[in-house]
Amino acid sequence: MERRGGPRRLLLVHAHPDDESIGTGATIARYAAEGAHVTLVTCTLGELGEIIPPELAHLAADRENRLGAYRITELAAACAALGLIDQRFLGGPGRWRDSGMMGRQSNDDPGCFWQADVAQAAAELARIIRDVRPQVLVSYDEHGFYGHPDHIQAHRVADAAIRRAADGGQGPWQVAKFYATAVPRSVAEAADLPYFVPDEQVTTEVDGRAYLAAKTAALRAHATQIAVDGDRFALSDGRWQPVLSHEFYTLLAGVSAPGPGTMEHDLFAGLDAQ
């Protein structure tokens, strides 16, 4: 069935390679398998990521400074595992550099994403929106979910780009629904996860159980950043957490269906009849 403006089209805007797999891997795999056109925009190459395997430590920014280029290949492998064939870097690969965690000196690098001119970055993303014409866009909330400057900036850029893409010009397009990734407090506490939002802020739960193997394979592809052991994974901090088969979102803009206070189970809920 075709929806408003044609088949289902989903655009995800993530800060670094691996973010797409950790928070939205099952969602991507599900919608790709169901025939939706899924596009991933990655804002940086993740050049400042902390490397887990000792044999790859030479790639680090303070040594050979080749981690970004290496992570391009990891991202390609992860996208293949998820069935995603349309992945783009905002402004082209390496246009904006990884900013590092909040409060680090790297936040002041004039070439980092945190220092990017939001209007300029939004113009780049608006061009992609007009090209792809997504009904649904997924990124982060205004806090970047856990406070990383590149996640906060991705939210700002996505929000501005949605408005810019709808302002006219060549091929204006109105995104119908804008979501932020989320983990409800009840799920976080059960899984011993450090970051969450209040349960009442979560509007949407996507069941990705049928795509858990794809998500796990995508996580495994990001070997510099993620260690995988069966149905759990850890980042460089060594904190093991479960690979979640259900992924959660907060609707930031657009009409919720079937209505306020009712959990959605489809990012396209309410759009099928439009």
Side-chain angles (χ1 to χ4, degrees):
M1 175 186 291
E2 290 203 346
R3 282 82 182 173
R4 185 178 77 92
R8 288 181 163 191
R9 292 183 300 278
L10 170 64
L11 174 64
L12 301 101
V13 180
H14 278 294
H16 316 102
D18 80 12
D19 290 326
E20 80 296 326
S21 299
I22 295 171
T24 60
T27 299
I28 290 171
R30 171 181 162 176
Y31 285 111
E34 290 178 353
H37 183 103
V38 183
T39 300
L40 168 64
V41 174
T42 311
C43 297
T44 78
L45 301 184
E47 296 93 338
L48 299 184
E50 296 178 354
I51 299 172
I52 295 174
E55 65 272 19
L56 295 175
H58 60 93
L59 299 171
D62 59 354
R63 294 179 62 179
E64 297 178 5
N65 194 26
R66 294 195 295 116
L67 179 58
Y70 192 88
R71 293 187 74 178
I72 292 176
T73 66
E74 291 185 330
L75 179 57
C79 288
L82 297 174
L84 190 155
I85 60 175
D86 186 8
Q87 186 275 322
R88 314 178 190 199
F89 287 101
L90 187 64
R95 172 62 182 83
W96 286 287
R97 187 172 175 82
D98 185 353
S99 307
M101 297 298 288
M102 187 67 80
R104 293 185 179 178
Q105 187 175 354
S106 54
N107 298 169
D108 298 324
D109 182 340
C112 78
F113 191 49
W114 183 237
Q115 295 296 330
D117 181 272
V118 171
Q120 182 182 50
E124 295 285 351
L125 183 56
R127 278 193 281 272
I128 296 174
I129 292 173
R130 290 170 181 158
D131 177 40
V132 174
R133 300 193 307 157
Q135 297 102 338
V136 176
L137 190 149
V138 171
S139 189
Y140 314 105
D141 63 18
E142 63 183 351
H143 306 294
F145 183 54
Y146 71 99
H148 193 293
D150 289 336
H151 289 237
I152 295 171
Q153 189 77 318
H155 166 82
R156 293 172 178 170
V157 169
D159 183 59
I162 288 170
R163 289 182 277 108
R164 188 182 184 108
D167 278 345
Q170 294 185 343
W173 181 254
Q174 179 67 57
V175 172
K177 305 181 82 172
F178 178 27
Y179 287 96
T181 59
V183 175
R185 180 172 187 154
S186 57
V187 172
E189 290 180 344
D192 193 27
L193 303 178
Y195 303 105
F196 52 81
V197 300
D199 283 26
E200 59 270 22
Q201 290 184 12
V202 176
T203 62
T204 312
E205 177 181 3
V206 174
D207 184 347
R209 284 176 291 182
Y211 306 98
L212 186 59
K215 177 175 180 174
T216 304
L219 292 171
R220 200 182 299 277
H222 290 290
T224 61
Q225 307 299 301
I226 300 172
V228 179
D229 179 17
D231 59 358
R232 61 179 190 156
F233 74 98
L235 303 176
S236 60
D237 60 4
R239 185 188 186 109
W240 290 98
Q241 54 187 289
V243 180
L244 297 178
S245 59
H246 289 71
E247 294 171 344
F248 301 89
Y249 301 89
T250 297
L251 182 65
L252 301 178
V255 178
S256 179
T262 303
M263 184 72 73
E264 297 178 332
H265 297 283
D266 180 2
L267 295 177
F268 293 86
L271 301 183
D272 289 356
Q274 297 186 18

